[in-house]
């Protein structure tokens, strides 16, 4: 039986590592790589919600993360189609 | 002790670690934004700042936290949507180029998009109304969104979008009135509860109004 704290601290570690990876990780000059890196803190926050039993918040957060990723990808693709520096 | 008795001990013991993690994450993300020259990258890092905000709210660890996370998520979503739209329209004005409204990697003229939307969106909307509250609003909103996207939201008349935005405002008022009833006249709490749950249902379902406003701007441009 795993203790509940394991999930909490795994989530914390993922959030911090993912944030550092998003800010100064390898290849983040490319906005697509940066968007994909934001998924790691998202998984960490999901684990933290899970350890606090926030079911509704967890479900809504997963849906919102998917929509935010779609919006950001759309913005990047449209800006690149216009020939802007991204 | 400030913490009430009903809060479990484990939540209290996890409060400080969560708070520190959120502060570290927020600090790193804000530092990253301040060194960023390009606007798109700053927008992506805003997402991480939102994550730090969510951890601080979640650390409270009661039903209150859950109730506060949901509007926080919706506000973050609307904010990122609005800022990305501003960035794109500014760039469009600078370069004077027109690009597709919704860039797709594949052609989306599938048979199922012509035949399925009526039935699927009806099922989603009916199930959403049955659920009521925030979750029901989200389900019904997905139904409306699916219908609009499959039917090419460009083709819909934009008086309809104005109407959807109007419904959103009225639903907000119903929600507030329901809450007022809960405090002013607690003996008719059932009416207040139903008013606020149906109000938030309409409100969340008509978040589509946001996308509708974007569509209207697109009509004006063409």
């Amino acid at each position: 039986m795993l203790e509940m704290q394991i999930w909490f601290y795994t989530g914390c570690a993922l959030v911090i590592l993912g944030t550092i990876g998003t800010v100064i990780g390898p290849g983040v000059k490319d906005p697509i790589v940066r968007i994909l890196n934001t998924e790691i803190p998202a998984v960490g926050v999901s684990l933290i919600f899970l350890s606090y039993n926030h079911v509704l918040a967890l479900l809504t957060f997963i849906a919102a993360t998917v929509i935010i990723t779609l919006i950001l990808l759309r913005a990047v693709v449209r800006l690149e189609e216009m020939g802007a520096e991204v | 002790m400030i913490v009430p008795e009903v809060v479990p001990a484990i939540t209290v013991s996890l409060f400080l670690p969560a708070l520190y993690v959120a502060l570290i994450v927020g600090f790193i993300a804000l530092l990253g934004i301040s060194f960023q020259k390009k606007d798109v990258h700053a927008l992506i890092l805003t997402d991480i700042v939102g994550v730090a905000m969510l951890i601080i709210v979640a650390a409270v660890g009661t039903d209150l936290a859950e109730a506060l996370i949901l509007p926080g998520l919706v506000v973050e979503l609307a904010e990122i949507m609005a800022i990305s739209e501003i960035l794109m329209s500014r760039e469009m004005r600078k370069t004077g180029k027109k690009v597709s409204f919704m860039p797709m990697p594949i052609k989306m003229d599938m048979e199922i998009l012509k035949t399925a939307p009526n039935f699927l969106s009806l099922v989603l909307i009916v199930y959403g109304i049955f659920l009521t509250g925030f979750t029901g609003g989200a389900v019904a909103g997905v139904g409306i969104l699916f219908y609009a996207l499959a039917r090419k939201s460009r083709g819909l008349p934009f008086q309809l979008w104005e109407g959807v935005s109007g419904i959103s405002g009225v639903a907000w008022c119903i929600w507030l009135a329901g809450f007022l009833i809960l405090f002013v006249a607690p003996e008719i709490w059932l009416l207040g509860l139903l008013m606020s749950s149906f109000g938030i249902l309409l409100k969340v379902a008509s978040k589509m109004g946001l996308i509708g406003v974007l569509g209207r701007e697109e009509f004006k441009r063409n």
Side-chain angles (χ1 to χ4, degrees), chain A residues 5-81:
Chain A
Q5 277 96 337
I6 292 175
W7 305 109
F8 179 79
Y9 287 112
T10 312
C12 289
L14 276 178
V15 168
I16 292 178
L17 283 178
T19 305
I20 295 172
T22 312
V23 176
I24 50 165
V28 288
K29 291 262 181 277
D30 187 357
I32 304 280
V33 174
R34 209 184 270 268
I35 291 172
L36 291 180
N37 280 355
T38 58
E39 297 298 317
I40 298 165
V43 172
V45 173
S46 302
L47 281 179
I48 291 176
F49 284 169
L50 195 64
S51 62
Y52 276 117
N53 280 338
H54 290 166
V55 182
L56 268 184
L58 177 61
L59 292 178
T60 319
F61 177 72
I62 291 171
T65 314
V66 170
I67 297 175
I68 286 174
T69 311
L70 282 180
I71 292 172
L72 289 175
L73 283 177
R74 172 172 171 261
V76 170
V77 170
R78 280 188 92 185
L79 285 176
E80 278 184 351
E81 272 183 12

Side-chain angles (χ1 to χ4, degrees), chain B residues 5-87:
Chain B
E5 295 289 317
V6 289
V7 181
I10 195 153
T11 307
V12 178
S13 71
L14 290 181
F15 179 75
L16 271 185
L19 192 65
Y20 285 133
V21 165
L23 289 180
I24 291 169
V25 166
F27 182 71
I28 295 174
L30 288 174
L31 213 61
I33 290 179
S34 67
F35 286 126
Q36 214 46 249
K37 300 252 177 354
K38 288 165 186 163
D39 295 331
V40 187
H41 291 266
L43 178 64
I44 298 167
L45 289 172
T46 317
D47 195 14
I48 306 289
V49 182
V51 162
M53 176 271 289
L54 287 175
I55 297 174
I56 291 186
V57 178
V60 178
T62 49
D63 286 348
L64 177 69
E66 195 150 342
L68 287 175
I69 286 169
L70 300 181
L73 277 172
V74 174
V75 168
E76 196 193 335
L77 192 59
E79 171 199 318
I80 285 184
M81 206 181 235
I83 296 176
S84 76
E85 208 59 31
I86 289 170
L87 281 181

Side-chain angles (χ1 to χ4, degrees), chain B residues 22-159:
Chain B
L23 289 180
I24 291 169
V25 166
F27 182 71
I28 295 174
L30 288 174
L31 213 61
I33 290 179
S34 67
F35 286 126
Q36 214 46 249
K37 300 252 177 354
K38 288 165 186 163
D39 295 331
V40 187
H41 291 266
L43 178 64
I44 298 167
L45 289 172
T46 317
D47 195 14
I48 306 289
V49 182
V51 162
M53 176 271 289
L54 287 175
I55 297 174
I56 291 186
V57 178
V60 178
T62 49
D63 286 348
L64 177 69
E66 195 150 342
L68 287 175
I69 286 169
L70 300 181
L73 277 172
V74 174
V75 168
E76 196 193 335
L77 192 59
E79 171 199 318
I80 285 184
M81 206 181 235
I83 296 176
S84 76
E85 208 59 31
I86 289 170
L87 281 181
M88 283 185 281
S89 63
R90 195 184 64 182
E91 198 62 40
M92 218 175 265
R93 189 162 299 160
K94 246 191 240 165
T95 56
K97 271 186 199 166
K98 281 208 180 101
V99 289
S100 54
F101 179 59
M102 191 70 91
M104 288 277 183
I106 45 171
K107 277 217 155 194
M108 292 292 280
D109 53 349
M110 288 182 278
E111 168 83 27
I112 195 166
L113 289 182
K114 295 191 190 69
T115 49
N118 291 334
F119 179 69
L120 277 183
S121 56
L122 187 72
V123 168
L124 281 172
I125 290 170
V126 168
Y127 183 53
I129 292 171
F130 175 71
L131 283 175
T132 70
F134 197 93
T135 323
V139 173
V142 167
I144 298 173
L145 186 66
F146 181 62
Y147 187 81
L149 283 185
R151 284 292 166 105
K152 283 273 165 59
S153 55
R154 288 158 171 275
L156 289 174
F158 55 93
Q159 279 84 358

